[in-house]
Amino acid sequence: MIQLTSADKLTNAISKARTVKPLVRVNRFGSYTVINKATGATYTVECAKRDGKRFASCSCVAGTRGKACYHVAAAVSAHMQLAAERAALNF
Ligand SMILES: [Zn+2]
C-alpha cells in the first residue's frame, strides 16, 4: 500500500509511465488493470481514499513492497480523470 501524499513522490513513476505508455483498463471506479503493451504483463492497481488520505496498491513486485511504480502513476492519472468526470456530473 502506497500513501499518495504529494505528486513529487510519483515524479519518477510518472515519467516512466510516459515512456512506457501502458494501457489502463477500468475494472470499476478505483480498480484498474495496467497492461504493458510491449511485454503483455498485467497488474492490478487499486485506489482508495481513507480518512481523507489517498492510497494506492499495485500487484507488481515494487508495488507490493510499497514503492511507487509506474503502474500506480498510470492508474492514478486515469482515476483522477474519472473522479473529475464523476464530480462534474454531480452538480
Ligand atoms: Zn506496479
Side-chain angles (χ1 to χ4, degrees):
M1 200 65 107
I2 304 148
Q3 191 187 339
L4 305 170
T5 42
S6 60
D8 55 271
K9 201 174 178 181
L10 281 176
T11 302
N12 290 339
I14 289 167
S15 56
K16 173 114 195 249
R18 285 201 183 118
T19 311
V20 178
K21 293 188 180 69
L23 197 69
V24 180
R25 239 177 12 211
V26 181
N27 304 322
R28 60 177 161 77
F29 184 69
S31 176
Y32 307 90
T33 300
V34 180
I35 303 148
N36 182 321
K37 285 178 278 183
T39 66
T42 65
Y43 302 100
T44 306
V45 176
E46 308 270 343
C47 300
K49 207 171 176 182
R50 250 185 277 144
D51 305 321
K53 293 175 184 129
R54 291 165 207 279
F55 293 92
S57 66
C58 180
S59 60
C60 78
V61 176
T64 52
R65 288 180 184 158
K67 289 200 177 112
C69 55
Y70 76 89
H71 316 115
V72 163
V76 162
S77 101
H79 183 65
M80 301 293 250
Q81 205 179 317
L82 267 185
E85 280 165 17
R86 279 165 62 121
L89 289 170
N90 255 332
F91 58 87

